[in-house]
């Protein structure tokens, strides 16, 4: 299972299938579980019972391989066996392949032989998200991310806005997960470090260890010992924030007097949008900050 599969499955499964309803018009009522226990491969990317009474099966692909029709038929067979043990009637199963690639790379969802005819639906993410506009106020993070993945041309301003929104998420684990998601899935569009550069401009909570940016910070910090290296990196991050927000230069001198734990608390507070001077005062007086 690739790193893209894991993240895309997470987006489609979030918020009770909100993305599935928005893009495919199917209301998820219960998760069916992906383990089919039969056939090869054994696990479906996405499988759920829907309001119409049938099942919705989705596979996510970064390419469109020639053997995909056979794989989808294999999935259908495994689902039929698990659900009905071959007893008719076959449960209604809607099967879809969503390709995160260019339209010209899609092979097409048909399988025909002398005594065999089988079909399913196949969409590129560009076609699936057509008509949906990127809007931080109107849509969830997950839906906005898919809309950006489906844009015909990369809108760097929108990707930057999504990065900033993700970094302002108050919950540490959710913020970390969103940042990792953006950094990973952006590579489905193009192999560049644009997102990484955008994250460098923002104050980030340092538990975002799995991003390439986070790894650089930790490697640098621990190379000189946590206290010295960690403090230097934290000051660097907070300094960028000071410059970007036109905070008086005197503030940096205040920051340099804080210890490592105070700096961590300050950086955490800034990542959630607190006013700089207020955050510094709270951290300086209380030696810690809790949101």
């Amino acid at each position: 299972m690739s790193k893209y599969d894991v993240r895309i499955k997470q987006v489609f499964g979030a918020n009770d299938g909100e993305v599935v309803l928005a893009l495919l018009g199917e209301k998820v009522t219960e998760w069916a579980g992906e383990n089919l226990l039969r056939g090869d491969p054994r696990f479906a990317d996405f499988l759920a019972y829907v309001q119409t009474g049938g099942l919705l099966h989705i596979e996510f692909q970064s390419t469109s391989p020639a053997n995909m029709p056979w794989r989808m038929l294999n999935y259908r067979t495994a689902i039929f066996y698990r659900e009905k043990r071959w007893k008719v009637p076959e449960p209604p199963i809607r099967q879809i392949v969503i390709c995160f690639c260019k339209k010209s790379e899609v092979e097409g969802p048909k399988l025909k032989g002398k005594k065999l005819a089988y079909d399913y639906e196949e969409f590129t993410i560009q076609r699936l998200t057509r008509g949906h506009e990127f809007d931080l106020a109107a849509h969830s993070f997950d839906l906005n991310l898919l809309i950006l993945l489906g844009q015909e041309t990369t809108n760097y301003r929108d990707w930057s806005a999504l990065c900033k929104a993700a970094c302002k998420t108050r919950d540490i684990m959710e913020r970390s997960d969103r940042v990792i998601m953006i950094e990973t899935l952006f590579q489905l569009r193009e192999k560049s470090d644009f997102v990484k550069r955008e994250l460098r401009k923002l104050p980030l909570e340092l538990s975002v260890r799995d991003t390439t940016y986070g790894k650089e910070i930790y490697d640098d910090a621990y190379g000189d010992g946590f206290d010295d290296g960690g403090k230097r990196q934290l000051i660097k991050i907070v300094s960028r924030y000071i410059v970007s927000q036109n905070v008086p230069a005197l503030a940096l001198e205040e920051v340099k007097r804080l210890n490592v734990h105070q700096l961590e608390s300050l950086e955490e507070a800034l990542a959630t949008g607190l006013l700089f001077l207020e955050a510094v005062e709270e951290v300086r007086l209380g030696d810690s900050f809790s949101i």
Side-chain angles (χ1 to χ4, degrees):
M1 184 181 297
S2 75
K3 60 182 179 181
Y4 303 124
D5 285 345
V6 173
R7 294 298 170 183
I8 291 296
K9 287 168 68 172
Q10 190 172 347
V11 170
F12 271 75
N15 299 320
D16 296 322
E18 175 203 30
V19 163
V20 177
L21 179 61
L23 298 185
L24 299 172
E26 298 279 9
K27 172 64 177 175
V28 172
T29 56
E30 180 185 355
W31 301 114
E34 296 87 3
N35 189 357
L36 301 177
L37 301 179
R38 188 178 181 86
D40 180 20
R42 294 174 57 192
F43 294 91
D45 282 346
F46 181 100
L47 187 62
Y49 300 102
V50 293
Q51 201 168 41
T52 55
L55 289 108
L56 175 64
H57 167 220
I58 308 176
E59 291 297 314
F60 309 112
Q61 292 291 124
S62 56
T63 62
S64 180
N67 68 349
M68 201 64 203
W70 287 106
R71 290 170 57 187
M72 292 301 285
L73 179 59
N74 192 22
Y75 279 122
R76 191 178 194 92
T77 303
I79 294 169
F80 184 19
Y81 177 80
R82 191 188 76 173
E83 296 294 315
K84 302 284 286 191
R85 292 297 191 272
W86 308 129
K87 295 179 181 178
V88 295
E90 178 188 0
I93 306 172
R94 184 183 180 188
Q95 289 186 286
I96 300 172
V97 173
I98 299 177
C99 295
F100 293 81
C101 55
K102 297 177 182 177
K103 184 177 181 181
S104 59
E105 298 171 350
V106 176
E107 293 286 342
K110 294 189 181 297
L111 182 64
K112 292 184 178 179
K114 201 167 185 179
K115 294 184 178 180
L116 175 66
Y118 168 67
D119 201 356
Y120 56 93
E121 297 172 75
E122 188 166 62
F123 300 99
T124 62
I125 190 62
Q126 289 85 357
R127 176 185 171 191
L128 205 57
T129 56
R130 190 171 298 139
H132 295 271
E133 297 294 330
F134 176 78
D135 190 329
L136 289 173
H139 304 310
S140 68
F141 166 82
D142 298 302
L143 184 53
N144 274 316
L145 178 56
L146 288 179
I147 289 170
L148 292 188
L149 286 173
Q151 289 177 335
E152 294 296 334
T153 58
T154 304
N155 188 320
Y156 295 102
R157 182 179 297 177
D158 287 347
W159 279 96
S160 178
L162 192 64
C163 286
K164 291 176 182 177
C167 289
K168 289 182 179 179
T169 306
R170 285 187 172 272
D171 182 84
I172 293 175
M173 295 304 295
E174 185 177 1
R175 180 167 67 249
S176 174
D177 195 63
R178 287 183 175 185
V179 170
I180 295 169
M181 187 92 71
I182 296 172
E183 189 178 35
T184 301
L185 297 187
F186 180 75
Q187 296 176 59
L188 285 173
R189 288 199 59 88
E190 55 183 84
K191 305 298 181 184
S192 81
D193 61 354
F194 169 76
V195 167
K196 180 179 172 181
R197 293 197 304 270
E198 288 301 293
L199 295 178
R200 284 180 180 275
K201 301 175 184 177
L202 302 170
L204 276 176
E205 195 280 320
L206 291 183
S207 71
V208 190
R209 302 186 182 196
D210 292 330
T211 65
T212 54
Y213 177 44
K215 289 181 186 300
E216 285 181 5
I217 291 175
Y218 271 90
D219 289 345
D220 196 354
Y222 284 116
D224 296 328
F226 179 75
D227 285 348
D228 293 335
K231 183 171 182 177
R232 179 160 47 82
Q233 290 299 324
L234 285 164
I235 289 174
K236 187 182 297 184
I237 291 172
V238 174
S239 298
R240 282 200 298 270
Y241 180 89
I242 291 173
V243 173
S244 68
Q245 299 298 313
N246 296 317
V247 177
L250 182 63
L252 185 55
E253 296 304 314
E254 289 286 322
V255 168
K256 290 179 179 178
R257 285 195 282 269
L258 299 175
N259 62 38
V260 171
H261 300 296
Q262 290 173 321
L263 280 166
E264 285 180 326
S265 297
L266 174 60
E267 198 273 341
E268 164 69 8
L270 293 176
T272 60
L274 248 69
L275 292 176
F276 179 80
L277 295 178
E278 177 185 350
V280 170
E281 186 66 13
E282 289 286 339
V283 169
R284 188 176 64 80
L285 294 176
D287 196 46
S288 65
F289 189 89
S290 177
I291 59 172

